[in-house]
Amino acid sequence: MLRSGPVRSLARFTIPSSTYPGSCKASTLALPASKLSFPRIESIKRPRSLALAAYRPLPTSLQRWASSTTSRPPFVEPDKKELKHEKTVAKEELEPHPEEVSSASSVHQIFHEKGTPDEEKDEDMLAGVYSDLRVIKETFALNEVPREAFFIGLAGLLPYAATSLSTVYLAWDINHAALSGQGFLLSGESAELLLHIIEPLQMGYGAVILSFLGAIHWGLEWAKYGGVHGYRRYAYGVVAPAVAWPTLLLPVEYALIAQFSAFTFLYFADARAVVKGWAPPCPSSRPTYTSSQLTAYLRSVSLPDDFPHPPSSSSSAPEDSLHHLSTLQAHQLATYPFENLSLHYSPTHTVSLDLDVLYKKYVERRRGGYCMENNAFFGTVLRGLGWEVTSVGARVCLGVDGGDRGKYGSWSHMTNIITISDKKYMVDVGFGNNGPTAPLLLEENTVHENLGRTQMRLVRSKIEEQTDGDQRLWIYQIRHSPNGEWEPTYCFTETEFLPQDYEMMNFWTSQSRRSFFTYSILMAKMIMEDGRLIGTVTMKDGEAKKRVGSEVVETKTCKSEKERLEVFKEWFGIRLTQEEERGIRGTVAELKG
């Protein structure tokens, strides 16, 4: 590399260390300086920096050695070697090293060939402590606990808290009476008598709570939560009371210490049970359905008899979790159709994303919904069952409706990302007959089989209308045969969308006259046989088709509302009320034949 000017100047005055003698002769000290044979500064041809213009001879010890040497090697001008080397270096192409450049690299010291790094910023040494405190605060905030469980649990802790505070006060009162001769509220004898009564009550109530916490795992085993685990899970319910009740035989101090240790052990044991999938996780910050609602949903989708209840979630073994997730997605698609009937067959012609409204619509009425309804409902179910769910927005490709395949619409679609053992999967139950039928791992160019001969994959790139090429999106593509051309359907981000984002998206999609949902009826439902998806039933306006694999096996054209309502019942299992049936009258989507 090229040296800076000052460094080259210094190099010319460097004497090789191999010419330095180990010691100087005594006669060297007597020689006059006039006999020194040292190169003069004026003999060097190349210009010098101002800093070295006033250079003086080297230290006296070197001068004395030079004068005492009878045969000194001839002095070779450094410039000759420097020029030859610099001609070689001049032919080399410099390589950029941006990582060696910093805001201070233009003012580095004379011997530094590389830019000095920026000064380290002062770090908050307590940042880790603050982070831990926030975790503890969020853990015990209890904001996510259902109100019923919160109030009943709090009521159960009141006796234990009351006895604990009473023992502290009575101990203080006894000490106060011993020092002053009189208690604050009670006499010393009365306080001591009450203390001997309250201490066993506190210990006994602690033993009851420990036994109750252990018995919860028996209930989870009987309910087959996360599968059947037998004696391993029953051991939780046996060990807890086996440790709790013998503490009543110990002195008070040792009994309380033993119970506190048992509570701590149970806390970590419960946390481990959640990781194994033996116990439900803490409630999510997002609203979820209750246990009874989730049970009703699992029954409604006709899961296999050997399917565990509840299924293994994100905290379970990855292979079990992915298998159960795939099964749930397939049964969801085969049970609840993609449909936009609420925009046509209703008095209000609106779509609600309220979770209670969606639950009644799906589980109680066996209806379906369009993308945001289906994925909001299914995502809430998965979250309640313990999966780690992130809802994200998507842009639908204009080529889906015959437009430009390189362009996309606005944020008008919703999908979910499920995390299992640090791997992310896209799960979509709201894109109709061309949507994915199984979870898709977020990795590029991995081809998956879909219905019939259709294949699907994910790629990651920018879209045509983006100006920032660094902002890449996941693009869901399909092709209708193994040798066919890949067609983009929609792109999505990994950035989480919030419920209020979907409210805005839902308003435009369901109310704008530019949205095809407002003037066209679209329906799609998967056909399942022996637990496997084999085809689809679709309807667009008055044209209904049934496909098995990639082949159309039945078609039906509806010319009147009566005929279309029959197709709703026979092919999709949807029965509308009379009020809903009257809602389509006078609209552009009505069949007037």
Side-chain angles (χ1 to χ4, degrees):
M1 297 296 293
L2 296 176
R3 293 191 180 98
S4 60
V7 176
R8 289 199 302 269
S9 300
L10 288 178
R12 300 189 191 102
F13 293 97
T14 303
I15 298 177
S17 59
S18 60
T19 63
Y20 296 163
S23 60
C24 296
K25 298 181 180 180
S27 61
T28 304
L29 303 176
L31 290 176
S34 60
K35 293 187 177 183
L36 287 173
S37 180
F38 188 81
R40 295 180 301 172
I41 297 179
E42 291 79 9
S43 68
I44 300 177
K45 299 176 182 179
R46 298 188 66 175
R48 306 293 183 267
S49 64
L50 294 177
L52 296 177
Y55 185 82
R56 293 295 181 264
L58 293 176
T60 307
S61 60
L62 296 180
Q63 297 181 27
R64 290 170 180 168
W65 166 77
S67 64
S68 65
T69 304
T70 55
S71 60
R72 178 177 57 80
F75 177 75
V76 180
E77 288 188 73
D79 277 351
K80 293 181 180 180
K81 292 184 178 180
E82 290 270 341
L83 290 173
K84 182 179 178 181
H85 176 66
E86 290 180 2
K87 287 180 180 180
T88 303
V89 172
K91 298 177 181 180
E92 299 178 359
E93 184 177 353
L94 295 179
E95 297 181 358
H97 294 281
E99 71 278 1
E100 297 176 355
V101 180
S102 68
S103 59
S105 60
S106 61
V107 290
H108 57 79
Q109 299 179 5
I110 188 171
F111 291 108
H112 288 189
E113 293 296 335
K114 297 180 179 180
T116 57
D118 293 335
E119 295 184 2
E120 295 185 1
K121 298 180 180 179
D122 293 336
E123 296 184 359
D124 188 358
M125 302 301 293
L126 296 178
V129 177
Y130 293 148
S131 178
D132 293 339
L133 290 176
R134 283 194 298 270
V135 172
I136 295 173
K137 180 181 178 182
E138 292 172 0
T139 301
F140 294 97
L142 304 178
N143 294 329
E144 302 170 0
V145 177
R147 293 178 62 85
E148 296 86 352
F150 174 77
F151 289 126
I152 295 175
L154 183 62
L157 288 177
L158 287 178
Y160 194 77
T163 54
S164 299
L165 294 175
S166 298
T167 54
V168 173
Y169 170 74
L170 292 174
W172 176 83
D173 213 1
I174 292 172
N175 184 62
H176 184 271
L179 295 177
S180 62
Q182 184 178 358
F184 185 73
L185 293 177
L186 303 171
S187 64
E189 294 78 7
S190 299
E192 187 173 359
L193 178 61
L194 287 175
L195 183 61
H196 289 317
I197 296 174
I198 290 178
E199 284 176 341
L201 290 176
Q202 181 184 10
M203 294 161 51
Y205 197 73
V208 170
I209 294 178
L210 284 169
S211 301
F212 173 78
L213 294 176
I216 291 176
H217 293 274
W218 284 49
L220 294 173
E221 181 66 19
W222 293 344
K224 298 181 181 180
Y225 187 96
V228 177
H229 303 284
Y231 290 112
R232 291 181 297 169
R233 184 148 59 177
Y234 282 126
Y236 282 87
V238 173
V239 172
V243 171
W245 291 105
T247 59
L248 301 182
L249 304 177
L250 299 175
V252 176
E253 295 82 0
Y254 298 115
L256 294 177
I257 292 174
Q259 289 188 4
F260 178 79
S261 301
F263 278 119
T264 304
F265 171 78
L266 269 179
Y267 174 81
F268 288 104
D270 289 345
R272 181 60 181 168
V274 171
V275 173
K276 291 181 177 180
W278 294 6
C282 294
S284 170
S285 57
R286 291 284 184 88
T288 58
Y289 294 123
T290 64
S291 298
S292 60
Q293 288 176 318
L294 294 174
T295 301
Y297 165 80
L298 294 174
R299 291 173 179 168
S300 71
V301 294
S302 304
L303 292 168
D305 295 335
D306 59 347
F307 195 79
H309 174 69
S312 299
S313 59
S314 292
S315 57
S316 307
E319 59 277 7
D320 293 338
S321 181
L322 182 58
H323 171 68
H324 294 166
L325 179 62
S326 301
T327 303
L328 280 174
Q329 181 177 359
H331 282 260
Q332 165 77 19
L333 290 170
T335 304
Y336 299 114
F338 174 94
E339 49 102 336
N340 64 336
L341 300 185
S342 295
L343 296 179
H344 305 281
Y345 291 91
S346 73
T348 60
H349 302 281
T350 58
V351 169
S352 173
L353 299 182
D354 181 82
L355 296 183
D356 290 333
V357 173
L358 293 178
Y359 179 84
K360 293 177 181 178
K361 184 179 181 182
Y362 285 77
V363 180
E364 296 180 7
R365 296 201 56 199
R366 308 298 294 235
R367 288 276 304 275
Y370 70 2
C371 63
M372 280 174 272
E373 293 177 281
N374 283 345
N375 282 314
F377 172 73
F378 190 60
T380 304
V381 169
L382 294 179
R383 192 177 291 113
L385 293 173
W387 268 282
E388 185 179 340
V389 182
T390 302
S391 298
V392 299
R395 299 177 183 272
V396 178
C397 179
L398 299 184
V400 172
D401 294 325
D404 188 345
R405 290 186 179 181
K407 294 185 178 181
Y408 293 78
S410 61
W411 298 109
S412 60
H413 183 59
M414 172 187 183
T415 186
N416 291 309
I417 295 178
I418 313 298
T419 303
I420 302 175
S421 297
D422 298 328
K423 292 184 177 180
K424 295 182 177 181
Y425 297 83
M426 188 272 283
V427 176
D428 188 353
V429 293
F431 201 71
N433 58 311
N434 286 327
T437 56
L440 294 180
L441 180 64
L442 295 193
E443 63 179 10
E444 293 191 78
N445 297 318
T446 300
V447 179
H448 303 267
E449 298 298 324
N450 210 358
L451 288 176
R453 302 180 64 200
T454 305
Q455 294 180 326
M456 54 185 176
R457 71 175 183 179
L458 293 176
V459 297
R460 197 176 190 190
S461 67
K462 61 168 288 188
I463 60 177
E464 181 179 314
E465 295 166 286
Q466 282 182 294
T467 57
D468 185 358
D470 294 333
Q471 296 186 21
R472 298 193 300 164
L473 299 172
W474 289 104
I475 301 177
Y476 169 67
Q477 298 179 333
I478 62 170
R479 62 182 179 186
H480 298 287
S481 66
N483 298 323
E485 181 183 358
W486 287 105
E487 302 174 8
T489 56
Y490 62 82
C491 64
F492 62 94
T493 175
E494 292 184 50
T495 301
E496 183 176 15
F497 277 43
L498 303 180
Q500 51 267 39
D501 299 321
Y502 295 118
E503 290 291 339
M504 295 293 293
M505 294 163 56
N506 178 55
F507 181 79
W508 188 92
T509 306
S510 63
Q511 300 301 314
S512 173
R513 295 299 114 183
R514 294 164 54 192
S515 171
F516 59 84
F517 286 114
T518 61
Y519 55 79
S520 183
I521 291 177
L522 301 172
M523 303 181 71
K525 185 179 180 180
M526 301 295 175
I527 302 173
M528 177 173 283
E529 186 176 284
D530 297 329
R532 188 171 59 91
L533 299 178
I534 62 169
T536 60
V537 178
T538 62
M539 170 173 271
K540 186 176 188 305
D541 295 326
E543 190 76 19
K545 294 181 180 180
K546 184 179 294 185
R547 290 182 176 86
V548 175
S550 301
E551 302 296 327
V552 178
V553 296
E554 186 177 356
T555 61
K556 190 168 185 178
T557 302
C558 302
K559 298 181 179 180
S560 66
E561 283 299 325
K562 183 179 180 180
E563 293 179 355
R564 187 156 62 181
L565 292 175
E566 286 298 321
V567 173
F568 291 169
K569 295 176 185 178
E570 296 176 6
W571 288 30
F572 296 93
I574 293 178
R575 289 172 171 80
L576 301 177
T577 65
Q578 292 183 356
E579 184 181 29
E580 290 171 336
E581 292 176 2
R582 290 194 295 268
I584 199 169
R585 294 177 182 176
T587 67
V588 68
E590 181 185 9
L591 294 179
K592 301 178 180 180

